[in-house]
């Protein structure tokens, strides 16, 4: 039996440090929100809407309980999958050192089966499973988990990373789930159970206020400076479905290095939770923060060198959950979501540009050329000589900056 902890020893310390930095930083952020926790037990923390569900506990407790549930469940699942030799097939097109790594070729996958339900369970506990919109987000997340697990199962059975669901079938399933979810959100809004604003607000929040102060010497909340509102009506739900599917695939693309997707998701979920709390959708904020805690808890087994990968089970579900939270919150949460997840966006764009440039140059010159050493972006950096932990640390640092800016521009 392979002792994973004895392999790739030089970077074990870096992976452990990353886990501690992400977990403690996010826990501190949640703790900073605690003074308002009592009010969330009765009403939302903002005047935009009133919450109908009596939450209990504080954001730190939402985060902490989900963290420990995820860490315990993930550790147990990792042992079971290792005994079953359910090892992740390595992508042939990836970096050569991944295929030759003794750890990566002997690392179980489908860790999302433990991580995702842990976050959902914590959210249901703290919202008392009484908020229809949050319950719908939970169901949507679990359906994306099912799609990912079906894909992982096919790869494991065939022992081939190209097996599993075909891209078309996978995309069709994602679109179907996202469309059904936004239909539920629309129905809840029409019934005035969970009203959703279909006006997409490109808020500039704190940034806009500073700019206004620079121009006028005072801050009065001039809408022309602090925000730009676009009323979309029914088209909002099409945008929401697109966002859900896009985020799901974006996280999937970013899941290529130990701890990368889990760390970025942990940061993004907590930031999105803060946005929802400030916007008066406290129950959705609770779900997001709980999923952030679960993502951070997964790092216990996913930090470098990983004892388990999340697989499509985790990445598709986490991305779908990010999009679903913003969709259920309303148009004012869409722009902050985009800013918060800019690292995921960059990862997807690197693939699109790489493929597009290769095809265009091949058509014009007969020889395809590449913009990057390898796509996605994290492999480009890795092949540039950066160690895996360094790549993950740098991208997570950028993700944290995006998260802070995303919160700052919310609610313009």
């Amino acid at each position: 039996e392979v002792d994973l902890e004895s392999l790739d020893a030089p970077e074990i310390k870096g992976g452990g440090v990353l886990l501690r930095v992400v977990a403690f930083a996010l826990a501190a952020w949640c703790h900073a929100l605690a003074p308002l926790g009592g009010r969330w037990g009765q009403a939302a923390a903002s005047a935009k809407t009133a919450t109908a569900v009596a939450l209990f506990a504080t954001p730190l407790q939402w985060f902490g309980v989900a963290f420990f549930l995820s860490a315990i469940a993930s550790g147990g699942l990792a042992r079971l999958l290792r005994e079953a030799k359910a090892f992740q097939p390595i992508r042939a097109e990836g970096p050569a050192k991944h295929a030759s790594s003794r750890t990566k070729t002997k690392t179980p996958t489908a860790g999302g089966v433990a991580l995702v339900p842990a976050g959902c369970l914590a959210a249901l506990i703290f919202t008392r499973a009484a908020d229809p919109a949050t319950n719908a987000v939970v169901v949507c997340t679990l359906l994306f988990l099912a799609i990912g697990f079906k894909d992982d199962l096919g790869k494991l059975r065939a022992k081939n990373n190209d097996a599993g669901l075909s891209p078309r079938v996978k995309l069709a399933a994602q679109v179907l789930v996202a469309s059904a979810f936004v239909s539920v959100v629309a129905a809840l809004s029409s019934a005035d159970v969970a009203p959703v604003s279909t006006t997409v607000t490109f808020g500039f929040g704190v940034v806009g206020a500073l700019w206004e102060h620079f121009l006028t010497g005072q801050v009065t909340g001039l809408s022309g400076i602090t925000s730009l509102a676009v009323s979309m009506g029914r088209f909002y739900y099409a945008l929401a479905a697109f966002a859900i599917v896009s985020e799901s695939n974006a996280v999937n693309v970013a899941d290529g290095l130990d701890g990368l997707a889990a760390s970025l998701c942990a940061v993004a979920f907590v930031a999105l939770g803060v946005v929802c709390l400030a916007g008066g959708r406290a129950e959705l904020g609770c779900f997001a923060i709980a999923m952030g805690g679960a993502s951070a808890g997964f790092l216990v087994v996913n930090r470098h060198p990983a004892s388990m990968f999340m697989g499509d089970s985790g990445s598709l579900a986490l991305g779908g959950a990010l999009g679903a939270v913003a969709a259920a919150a309303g148009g004012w949460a869409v722009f902050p979501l985009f800013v918060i997840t800019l690292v995921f966006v960059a990862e997807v764009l690197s693939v699109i540009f790489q493929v597009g440039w290769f095809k265009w140059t091949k058509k014009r010159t007969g020889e395809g050329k590449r913009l990057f050493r390898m796509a996605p972006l994290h492999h480009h950096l890795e092949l540039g000589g950066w160690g895996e932990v360094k790549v993950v640390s740098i991208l997570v640092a950028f993700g944290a900056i995006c998260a802070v800016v995303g919160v700052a521009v919310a609610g313009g």
Side-chain angles (χ1 to χ4, degrees):
E1 181 177 347
V2 177
D3 181 7
L4 295 176
E5 294 299 326
S6 67
L7 302 177
D8 296 339
E11 293 193 301
I12 291 179
K13 183 177 180 181
V17 169
L18 177 66
L19 163 64
R20 290 171 176 81
V21 169
V22 171
F24 283 111
L26 294 178
W29 196 0
C30 291
H31 177 67
L33 301 171
L36 293 174
R39 281 168 42 195
W40 289 327
Q42 301 170 0
S46 122
K48 283 189 177 180
T49 59
T51 182
V53 178
L55 296 173
F56 68 96
T58 67
L60 178 58
Q61 290 167 313
W62 306 338
F63 180 90
V65 169
F67 178 96
F68 286 109
L69 284 176
S70 176
I72 293 170
S74 297
L77 180 63
R79 286 190 290 272
L80 290 175
L81 292 177
R82 194 177 304 124
E83 291 173 0
K85 300 187 184 301
F87 301 138
Q88 169 73 50
I90 302 301
R91 187 169 67 97
E93 298 81 7
K97 68 178 183 179
H98 285 201
S100 61
S101 170
R102 290 178 295 168
T103 55
K104 293 188 183 297
T105 56
K106 297 295 182 181
T107 303
T109 189
V113 173
L115 144 69
V116 175
C120 291
L121 177 61
L124 290 174
I125 291 173
F126 290 115
T127 61
R128 307 176 197 272
D131 179 56
T134 303
N135 293 345
V137 172
V138 169
V139 172
C140 178
T141 302
L142 294 177
L143 288 175
F144 271 94
L145 167 64
I147 296 171
F149 180 68
K150 176 66 175 176
D151 192 45
D152 285 336
L153 196 59
K155 293 175 182 178
L156 289 172
R157 285 174 173 171
K159 296 184 178 180
N160 184 345
N161 194 65
D162 294 326
L165 296 176
S166 69
R168 288 186 178 181
V169 171
K170 188 189 301 185
L171 180 61
Q174 290 174 298
V175 170
L176 180 62
V177 172
S179 299
F181 171 74
V182 297
S183 297
V184 172
V185 171
L188 292 174
S189 182
S190 298
D192 208 31
V193 174
V196 171
S197 170
T198 57
T199 298
V200 176
T201 305
F202 297 88
F204 304 104
V206 173
V207 177
L210 292 173
W211 178 244
E212 181 185 1
H213 186 271
F214 174 76
L215 292 179
T216 66
Q218 58 185 347
V219 177
T220 59
L222 297 175
S223 60
I225 295 176
T226 59
S227 66
L228 172 65
V230 179
S231 180
M232 300 194 67
R234 287 286 176 179
F235 289 106
Y236 167 76
Y237 297 106
L239 173 66
F242 174 77
I244 293 170
V245 175
S246 297
E247 290 289 346
S248 179
N249 287 305
V251 175
N252 184 246
V253 168
D255 184 29
L257 297 178
D258 296 350
L260 178 59
S263 298
L264 288 172
C265 281
V267 174
F269 271 117
V270 172
L272 187 59
V274 174
V275 170
C276 289
L277 291 174
R281 298 303 299 270
E283 301 80 21
L284 293 174
C286 174
F287 172 85
I289 290 176
M291 290 302 294
S295 299
F298 186 67
L299 286 172
V300 171
V301 297
N302 188 237
R303 73 187 190 277
H304 186 81
S307 300
M308 182 166 62
F309 300 136
M310 68 169 65
D312 282 12
S313 303
S315 59
L316 295 184
L318 292 177
L322 282 168
V325 170
W332 51 269
V334 173
F335 181 56
L337 172 69
F338 173 77
V339 176
I340 288 169
T341 59
L342 271 177
V343 174
F344 291 128
V345 174
E347 291 271 32
V348 171
L349 289 179
S350 69
V351 175
I352 294 173
F353 291 156
Q354 180 86 319
V355 173
W357 181 254
F358 184 87
K359 290 182 176 180
W360 188 76
T361 53
K362 185 174 184 179
K363 183 178 180 180
R364 286 182 61 87
T365 66
E367 181 181 356
K369 297 181 180 179
R370 291 175 172 80
L371 283 173
F372 304 98
R373 300 180 188 95
M374 182 179 288
L377 178 63
H378 56 262
H379 287 326
H380 170 76
L381 298 174
E382 189 180 14
L383 293 181
W386 287 11
E388 194 165 341
V389 172
K390 181 177 180 179
V391 174
V392 173
S393 300
I394 294 298
L395 290 179
V396 171
F398 274 104
I401 294 172
C402 293
V404 173
V405 174
V407 171
V409 302

